[in-house]
């Protein structure tokens, strides 16, 4: 086998990309150093988080993609239930996992390039060729609030979970945005953006 160059010495071969699986309802963010695999049905959830340099599977249990508390009520965002043991994850279990009916449910995703989220003035003179924002892939996964008796219009509250996987780095970024399409104000009391 051909040995890949060290990513610290030559990051060029490690380009971030989104891969789709024609055999099943999955997508995968990968840059040759790390990979995150998402199952899209019956709700979206991370089913693989792998260190591709060492071959180590980092994920042991399928959890919600995020947790958010809105107006005092806690919601899971995505995720799947029914894993019999959280010490390890077997591929054959994934097909049997089910959606939590009270969780925000996956409605779609969008893929694009990284975008500047804040202005940055370069002050490190020893790295004159640094790009801002760093290059990579931005994946936004959208979830809608479950239909409940909470005086909110169906589908009007949406949580988007953003992932950015960078080129040439074993690193990703993750954050949430909450959108309110209702006539009344909602309050986001608390959130957890990563639940592994």
């Amino acid at each position: 086998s051909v040995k890949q160059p060290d990513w610290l010495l030559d990051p060029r071969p490690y380009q971030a990309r989104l891969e789709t699986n024609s055999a099943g309802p999955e997508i995968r963010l990968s840059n040759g150093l790390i990979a995150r695999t998402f199952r899209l049905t019956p709700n979206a959830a991370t089913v693989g988080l792998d260190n591709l340099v060492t071959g180590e599977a980092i994920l042991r249990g399928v959890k919600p993609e995020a947790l958010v508390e809105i107006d005092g009520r806690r919601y899971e965002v995505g995720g799947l239930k029914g894993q019999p043991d959280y010490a390890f994850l077997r591929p054959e279990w994934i097909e049997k996992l089910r959606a939590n009916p009270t969780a925000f449910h996956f409605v779609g995703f969008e893929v694009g390039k990284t975008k500047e989220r804040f202005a940055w003035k370069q002050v490190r003179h020893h790295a004159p060729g640094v790009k801002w924002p760093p290059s990579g892939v931005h994946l936004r996964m959208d979830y809608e609030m479950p239909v409940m008796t909470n005086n909110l219009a169906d589908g009007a509250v949406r949580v988007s979970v953003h992932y950015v996987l960078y080129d040439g780095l074993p690193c990703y970024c993750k954050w949430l945005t909450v959108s309110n399409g209702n006539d009344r104000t909602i309050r986001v009391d608390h959130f957890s953006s990563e639940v592994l």
Side-chain angles (χ1 to χ4, degrees):
S1 79
V2 177
K3 185 174 166 89
Q4 292 282 7
D6 185 308
W7 62 272
L8 283 169
L9 300 175
D10 183 7
R12 290 174 297 165
Y14 305 105
Q15 300 299 304
R17 63 197 175 279
L18 180 83
E19 303 164 346
T20 58
N21 182 348
S22 60
E26 291 182 353
I27 58 174
R28 183 176 188 228
L29 278 175
S30 176
N31 65 3
L33 299 168
I34 60 174
R36 187 170 187 142
T37 304
F38 301 92
R39 180 76 175 197
L40 301 180
T41 61
N43 204 352
T46 298
V47 295
L49 185 57
D50 301 304
N51 179 335
L52 301 177
V53 176
T54 65
E56 179 184 17
I58 298 166
L59 185 73
R60 298 287 181 234
V62 178
K63 301 284 187 173
E65 288 306 296
L67 299 171
V68 64
E69 185 177 311
I70 297 174
D71 292 337
R73 187 170 184 171
R74 184 176 176 259
Y75 297 94
E76 294 179 355
V77 178
L80 296 168
K81 299 285 188 190
Q83 185 173 335
D85 189 333
Y86 282 96
F88 53 93
L89 177 60
R90 292 189 173 180
E92 61 268 19
W93 292 347
I94 295 170
E95 291 295 327
K96 297 175 184 171
L97 299 177
R98 64 191 185 286
N100 176 355
T102 64
F104 273 67
H105 57 275
F106 175 69
V107 293
F109 69 91
E110 182 176 294
V111 180
K113 295 183 179 192
T114 57
K115 298 175 187 165
E116 183 178 82
R117 292 183 11 226
F118 55 87
W120 175 65
K121 182 179 178 185
Q122 184 176 349
V123 294
R124 298 180 78 179
H125 303 291
H126 66 281
V130 172
K131 289 175 38 178
W132 185 255
S135 58
V137 173
H138 175 208
L139 169 65
R140 187 192 78 223
M141 298 180 76
D142 298 321
Y143 301 83
E144 287 184 353
M145 180 177 269
V147 177
M148 294 184 188
T149 56
N150 54 15
N151 298 324
L152 298 172
D154 292 347
V157 177
R158 190 175 268 213
V159 173
S160 295
V161 183
H162 302 260
Y163 306 84
V164 173
L165 181 62
Y166 298 103
D167 292 342
L169 271 177
C171 177
Y172 67 90
C173 180
K174 182 179 179 184
W175 72 93
L176 308 176
T177 55
V178 178
S179 304
N180 179 17
N182 284 285
D183 292 338
R184 75 173 181 87
T185 302
I186 63 170
R187 183 183 71 242
V188 177
D189 300 305
H190 178 79
F191 70 90
S192 297
S193 64
E194 186 71 287
V195 184
L196 292 176

